Amino acid sequence: MDSFGRVWRERDAKGAAAIFTEDASYRNTPFLEEPFVGHDAIEGFWQVAVADVADVDFRYGVPVIEGDRVGVEWWTTLKSGGEDHTLAGNFLLTFAGDRVSDLRESFVKQKGAHRPHAGWGL
């Protein structure tokens, strides 16, 4: 999770792809028909996703781990297009060793910088 925060703060699309296995799949929304598959596709997604972000504050809750699967809440405040935004979401990750082989993500985005609610991330 620390790596996700770092690549977001540094706008490092190549570093984001390196978190994943070569043949990993990435769904950044449950409504995406086909996931981004492989390093090139994941890097391309991240290039667009971080193109105009700044001042990223990424945090995550206590991961729930079962075998090679991890579920975790995340909370991010950032500037996008010069305006404050807050994104709150969830990752469901499957690991192959120390890299992610599958990521399913869902999140909401609100204008403004908002704090997590009491009990968030537990």
Side-chain angles (χ1 to χ4, degrees):
M1 293 308 299
D2 292 334
S3 295
F4 281 106
R6 182 194 63 74
V7 299
W8 213 346
R9 282 189 302 278
E10 296 175 8
R11 298 172 32 183
D12 180 7
K14 189 171 286 303
I19 295 169
F20 295 87
T21 60
E22 295 290 330
D23 61 346
S25 62
Y26 186 125
R27 279 185 204 274
N28 71 317
T29 171
F31 303 108
L32 188 63
E33 289 283 329
E34 295 294 325
F36 301 100
V37 176
H39 279 186
D40 290 343
I42 293 169
E43 182 178 343
F45 162 75
W46 271 80
Q47 284 174 339
V48 172
V50 300
D52 75 340
V53 300
D55 300 332
V56 174
D57 178 24
F58 175 83
R59 62 183 88 177
Y60 56 93
V62 177
V64 177
I65 303 169
E66 184 173 317
D68 62 354
R69 298 186 81 190
V70 175
V72 65
E73 290 183 289
W74 56 266
W75 192 279
T76 302
T77 56
L78 53 77
K79 289 197 182 299
S80 178
E83 295 184 16
D84 289 331
H85 292 273
T86 301
L87 292 82
N90 300 285
F91 284 151
L92 177 59
L93 307 120
T94 303
F95 280 83
D98 63 351
R99 296 197 306 163
V100 176
S101 62
D102 184 69
L103 182 147
R104 299 175 198 183
E105 174 181 22
S106 59
F107 64 92
V108 293
K109 181 177 181 179
Q110 295 286 320
K111 281 194 170 188
H114 303 278
R115 293 176 170 247
H117 57 81
W120 174 87
L122 298 177

